[in-house]
Amino acid sequence: MMLDRKRILNNLWSEIRGCVSLVESNDEDLLDLVEKLKGFRLNLKAKHNASNNQSSKTQDIKLLLGASIPSETLIKLPQISKNKGSGTTTSKRLKGDKEKAMEKNEKKKRLCRGCGELSYHDIRNCP
Ligand SMILES: [Zn+2]
């Protein structure tokens, strides 16, 4: 049995869209459709669980999603950062630079005989 599954799925989507556009302005019809679809879905789910055919189920969903939803509307998977860890490296490097700078300043310090502290001044310009 060869079915044009893609075409049928496209028809399915247009049926669903048609239903939605017909009921969206009427609260009662809207709730009715939701309930009917929900019941239908639960029925199908029970059937699928009974047959326990997970792989074909997944394939069906993929086909269904791929059939007519434009790719832009498909949920975009979060991109795994290729620069993982670079932030840490940067902060480490910055810290290193800062420490080097501090060491440099440390060397410029001299012991002031005026106040007895390591400072950037000496006894001649001690505050
Ligand atoms: Zn001083």
Side-chain angles (χ1 to χ4, degrees):
M1 181 171 73
M2 288 296 286
L3 283 172
D4 190 352
R5 293 172 67 101
K6 204 158 183 177
R7 205 173 70 88
I8 293 164
L9 286 166
N10 272 321
N11 287 342
L12 173 62
W13 276 112
S14 67
E15 285 299 327
I16 290 169
R17 282 206 205 88
C19 284
V20 171
S21 68
L22 280 170
V23 302
E24 64 186 353
S25 55
N26 186 305
D27 291 353
E28 208 178 301
D29 287 348
L30 187 63
L31 290 169
D32 197 32
L33 178 65
V34 171
E35 281 308 306
K36 284 203 164 76
L37 284 174
K38 192 177 174 185
F40 194 63
R41 179 175 60 81
L42 292 173
N43 252 342
L44 284 172
K45 202 177 173 186
K47 216 163 85 179
H48 271 275
N49 284 345
S51 67
N52 199 22
N53 200 342
Q54 285 291 327
S55 62
S56 88
K57 192 179 164 187
T58 312
Q59 214 172 27
D60 284 355
I61 292 166
K62 275 181 186 168
L63 258 174
L64 197 67
L65 287 173
S68 65
I69 297 179
S71 57
E72 305 92 69
T73 58
L74 285 172
I75 298 158
K76 277 171 186 145
L77 291 170
Q79 298 273 322
I80 295 161
S81 176
K82 283 170 188 169
N83 301 322
K84 195 184 174 188
S86 76
T88 318
T89 315
T90 310
S91 66
K92 262 183 189 170
R93 200 181 64 232
L94 285 171
K95 197 184 169 192
D97 288 343
K98 209 175 172 184
E99 276 167 5
K100 270 181 201 168
M102 278 174 79
E103 274 170 25
K104 256 187 182 176
N105 286 338
E106 206 73 30
K107 278 167 191 167
K108 279 179 192 167
K109 277 185 181 179
R110 53 183 76 183
L111 183 67
C112 169
R113 280 174 291 158
C115 58
E117 278 177 23
L118 273 172
S119 308
Y120 300 106
H121 63 265
D122 59 26
I123 191 165
R124 283 169 294 180
N125 49 16
C126 185

